[in-house]
Amino acid sequence: MVAVTHLLAPAAMPHSPDSLSVFSYNVLLPNSVDAWWTYKMYSPPLSESDRHVGDWEYRRKLIEQRVCHVDADVVCFQEVSPTSFESDFSFMSELGYDGVELFRKGRFRPATFWKTNKYKLAVPAAHKDRTLLTSFIKINDNEADVVPWFVLNCHLQAGKQGQRRVRQMLEGTKAIITMAKKLKVKEPETAVAAIVCGDFNGGSECGAVRLLEDGFIDSEFLEDGESVTSKRKDIPMVFPLKDVVTAIERDPPPTLVVPELISQMVQEGGNGYDNPILTESVVERLTKIYHARATCEMNGEKLMSATDVEKWLVLINGKLGRGDEYREAAKQMGWKPPPNAEEMSYDEIKKLVTLPSEAFLSLQGFLTVYQKELEGGKFWGINHDLTILGEPLDDCGVFNARFDRIYCTSNVQPIAVVDFEATKPCPNAEEPSDHLPVAACFTMK
């Protein structure tokens, strides 16, 4: 048995001529351009003097330092913005990562970087449903005589989408075998050297995870109380993939360390994604906030005027006109899209939304704004607003989960694993994302 080296960040990967090291990190969209709401994800809220901690420039430096420390051969990012990708990650070239492949579509994209002084692409990358597949050979290798490495960079669908996550992972693993056959790998179902990593948006109870670790999934498996497949589905590899961090005897560290909010925001018996309903405690807090900010009265009912609404929105979002709170408030006050809205894009419609100047926002309308935020999974946004508006939730500690994972096929031997740890809610002044990375070094058996 090969001893696996256990490293604790900050630590550098071991390097050898035949090894491949991989670092995977959900860096938290938004990035530099698409970035206004990042500060709302910090708990407790950032003070005015610390607001820069949530800016991309500050976060970018932390990400750069981490990439530099680990010094992996291949870096897999999730949640990069195509709008500002080149400028946001220009530092990667300065660190020696001249090779790059950006996923072709979507707002939340994976991107894979590699050091071109050691590896080169064997064939063009494959772009599937939220997975990005690259294959590598050493720059001096004869392509006909070498077994390539395959790296599948994943950012699986979030929310109550277990069936789609399984489909995404099955499609990604099949793409590995297809590419391996194209590269004339002999018996790729057993001999392929592949790394599968990224944000799985689910833990060990997730169907996509079970598919990799068990090698199959069938109709009896339930995720969030529902079947994720109508029939048995098998990965194309003969053997299941190995959860690399379990090669070390210790409890694997969580990769998602955030405030415990769902238990305080969602009514008992519900979850954060399946028709969640605000708890009475949150409704009481929001009602107090509403009555404190509503300056008008009509037929014995307090109402928020357009001016009251503007002041509230500026306080929570920094300026008027942005955020789903603004658009939902406008809708609750009577704003309606134009007759030709069906012919317009979502972004085009967003630009037309205005607050009706003579209308009012009722208490029910105000509560609906935050109910919609809950349904959108924006627990962090509600938490921020309650705190800023003077009705903070109790501190219930942190929620820990291991959504970010790294796997290898049976033909691959892990030789080192890096643990990244955090004890306070992320992001924070030391952690630029709500996720922690995963990293490991491998050789072929």
Side-chain angles (χ1 to χ4, degrees):
M1 177 178 290
V2 176
V4 181
T5 301
H6 184 203
L7 302 170
L8 186 62
M13 286 285 191
H15 289 279
S16 72
D18 297 322
S19 67
L20 179 81
S21 52
V22 179
F23 172 83
S24 177
Y25 199 6
N26 181 326
V27 295
L28 176 61
L29 187 84
N31 305 150
S32 65
V33 174
D34 196 2
W36 74 263
W37 68 84
T38 308
Y39 70 88
K40 298 184 76 170
M41 302 187 76
Y42 288 73
S43 182
L46 298 169
S47 65
E48 284 298 323
S49 61
D50 289 332
R51 185 64 67 86
H52 68 283
V53 167
D55 294 341
W56 173 248
E57 184 59 24
Y58 183 95
R59 295 171 52 222
R60 180 196 64 77
K61 290 179 180 178
L62 292 178
I63 294 169
E64 180 178 355
Q65 290 171 5
R66 182 153 281 169
V67 172
C68 185
H69 282 149
V70 175
D71 193 28
D73 298 316
V74 176
V75 172
C76 297
F77 286 139
Q78 300 88 43
E79 286 199 18
V80 304
S81 170
T83 306
S84 54
F85 176 71
E86 290 186 5
S87 59
D88 285 348
F89 296 95
S90 60
F91 67 88
M92 291 296 288
S93 178
E94 298 169 6
L95 294 177
Y97 296 93
D98 293 318
V100 59
E101 184 75 20
L102 175 65
F103 195 69
R104 289 176 183 160
K105 60 182 180 179
R107 186 184 186 187
F108 294 69
R109 300 191 188 185
T112 300
F113 292 83
W114 62 94
K115 289 190 173 181
T116 53
N117 64 352
K118 184 176 180 181
Y119 285 101
K120 62 182 178 181
L121 281 184
V123 292
H127 300 243
K128 299 300 181 180
D129 184 9
R130 295 176 71 99
T131 64
L132 174 61
L133 176 62
T134 46
S135 57
F136 299 102
I137 57 175
K138 287 187 288 187
I139 56 174
N140 296 320
D141 277 342
N142 184 332
E143 297 183 18
D145 300 330
V146 66
V147 177
W149 289 96
F150 298 87
V151 177
L152 187 68
N153 182 357
C154 311
H155 187 192
L156 304 188
Q157 184 64 44
K160 194 176 180 181
Q161 295 285 339
Q163 187 173 12
R164 184 177 175 189
R165 283 190 290 271
V166 168
R167 186 171 66 249
Q168 289 169 333
M169 188 48 59
L170 190 63
E171 182 183 57
T173 53
K174 287 181 177 179
I176 293 173
I177 299 302
T178 299
M179 188 175 286
K181 290 179 177 178
K182 182 177 182 180
L183 288 166
K184 297 183 171 27
V185 175
K186 296 179 180 179
E187 299 181 354
E189 293 82 2
T190 56
V192 70
I195 312 301
V196 178
C197 63
D199 180 0
F200 282 64
N201 268 308
S204 59
E205 76 291 344
C206 169
V209 169
R210 297 269 47 87
L211 178 68
L212 288 186
E213 296 186 9
D214 300 334
F216 74 96
I217 198 163
D218 58 28
S219 59
E220 294 184 3
F221 177 86
L222 302 179
E223 182 175 337
D224 294 325
E226 296 181 359
S227 176
V228 296
T229 181
S230 60
K231 60 182 181 180
R232 177 176 170 126
K233 293 178 179 177
D234 295 76
I235 60 172
M237 294 78 173
V238 172
F239 302 104
L241 275 67
K242 180 177 180 59
D243 183 1
V244 173
V245 301
T246 63
I248 305 295
E249 291 188 8
R250 48 78 177 95
D251 290 331
T255 64
L256 193 67
V257 182
V258 295
E260 173 51 58
L261 299 175
I262 293 180
S263 61
Q264 298 187 79
M265 290 187 184
V266 179
Q267 284 190 12
E268 188 174 354
N271 60 56
Y273 300 101
D274 187 14
N275 299 317
I277 299 174
L278 289 168
T279 60
E280 291 184 7
S281 175
V282 171
V283 170
E284 288 175 3
R285 285 173 165 84
L286 290 171
T287 300
K288 289 180 183 178
I289 291 167
Y290 179 87
H291 285 147
R293 305 193 73 83
T295 62
C296 299
E297 189 170 329
M298 187 179 298
N299 299 324
E301 178 186 5
K302 294 199 74 174
L303 297 169
M304 289 180 75
S305 66
T307 300
D308 296 334
V309 172
E310 289 175 359
K311 289 179 179 179
W312 156 60
L313 290 169
V314 169
L315 185 58
I316 63 170
N317 288 342
K319 61 185 288 188
L320 196 63
R322 64 187 186 187
D324 288 333
E325 300 97 331
Y326 171 81
R327 290 180 283 276
E328 186 60 34
K331 180 180 176 182
Q332 294 298 320
M333 294 169 71
W335 179 86
K336 296 185 182 299
N340 63 336
E342 293 183 358
E343 303 171 4
M344 303 172 68
S345 69
Y346 175 67
D347 287 336
E348 288 173 331
I349 295 174
K350 276 169 56 175
K351 295 176 181 178
L352 300 178
V353 178
T354 57
L355 296 176
S357 59
E358 302 300 321
F360 299 92
L361 180 65
S362 67
L363 171 59
Q364 186 55 52
F366 185 75
L367 294 175
T368 298
V369 169
Y370 282 103
Q371 175 61 36
K372 293 294 185 181
E373 290 292 284
L374 185 75
E375 293 170 5
K378 298 178 184 176
F379 315 108
W380 45 269
I382 300 172
N383 181 52
H384 168 273
D385 293 1
L386 289 172
T387 304
I388 290 296
L389 295 167
E391 291 290 338
L393 293 171
D394 297 333
D395 183 355
C396 291
V398 296
F399 168 80
N400 292 321
R402 190 159 68 92
F403 282 8
D404 305 84
R405 292 167 174 262
I406 185 165
Y407 291 88
C408 66
T409 50
S410 60
N411 196 39
V412 174
Q413 174 62 54
I415 60 173
V417 173
V418 182
D419 281 353
F420 301 84
E421 298 180 347
T423 57
K424 59 183 179 180
C426 302
N428 54 54
E430 293 80 39
E431 296 294 340
S433 173
D434 52 342
H435 290 252
L436 295 172
V438 290
C441 187
F442 308 90
T443 59
M444 294 187 195
K445 292 182 179 178

